[in-house]
Amino acid sequence: MPRIAPLTPPYPPAIEDALRRWMAPHVAHDPLVLFRVLHRHPELASRMGALGAGLPAHGELPVADRELVIARTCARSGCEYEWGVHAVVFPEHTADELAAHLPAPQLLEFLVPAGWYRTITGLANALALPPEPWAARFGDNADHAG
């Protein structure tokens, strides 16, 4: 059980709208447990959402490279919750290979999500969030801790 219970439907209209904005447009899943916990404090969730939504939507870094840094950060943090949400698109690159071919703006976009997801994984671990029912689990891939 999470340390803070997530909100459950029906949500007030403002919270429903905010939760949908946190989710990617094509996602059919219910809002993530993490988002529903964060919206116990809507103002804090709103401030976090600006960076969290901005990272994937407005960058130059290829999606596969961004997902690599997210997956590696989550795995190295031991956060199965967040790793499982992103593991579906985990590419087979290494950080050294990326640094060798990325221009400075893209390398920064590689490093900033590492810090962001270090924060998110720390939060998800501290909240003891269980994996989303549809998310990948650490045991689903041979190399999750490296």
Side-chain angles (χ1 to χ4, degrees), residues 44-67:
L44 177 64
S46 175
R47 290 191 307 257
M48 291 181 70
L51 180 59
L55 287 172
H58 303 288
E60 297 178 15
L61 192 64
V63 171
D65 294 345
R66 184 186 70 241
E67 289 300 323

Side-chain angles (χ1 to χ4, degrees), residues 29-108:
H29 303 294
D30 290 334
L32 299 181
V33 171
L34 174 66
F35 302 159
R36 293 184 290 130
V37 169
L38 286 173
H39 276 84
R40 291 272 181 201
H41 189 322
E43 183 181 337
L44 177 64
S46 175
R47 290 191 307 257
M48 291 181 70
L51 180 59
L55 287 172
H58 303 288
E60 297 178 15
L61 192 64
V63 171
D65 294 345
R66 184 186 70 241
E67 289 300 323
L68 168 67
V69 74
I70 292 168
R72 298 286 293 176
T73 301
C74 296
R76 293 182 74 76
S77 298
C79 185
E80 185 172 25
Y81 174 84
E82 195 66 25
W83 179 89
V85 171
H86 287 272
V88 192
V89 292
F90 185 70
E92 295 297 323
H93 296 292
T94 67
D96 289 339
E97 289 170 339
L98 291 172
H101 79 270
L102 294 179
Q106 289 182 1
L107 186 56
L108 285 170

Side-chain angles (χ1 to χ4, degrees), residues 96-138:
D96 289 339
E97 289 170 339
L98 291 172
H101 79 270
L102 294 179
Q106 289 182 1
L107 186 56
L108 285 170
E109 287 181 31
F110 182 86
L111 298 173
V112 169
W116 171 253
Y117 278 92
R118 187 73 171 167
T119 298
I120 291 300
T121 59
L123 178 60
N125 283 342
L127 291 169
L129 298 180
E132 296 288 344
W134 50 266
R137 301 293 303 265
F138 275 161

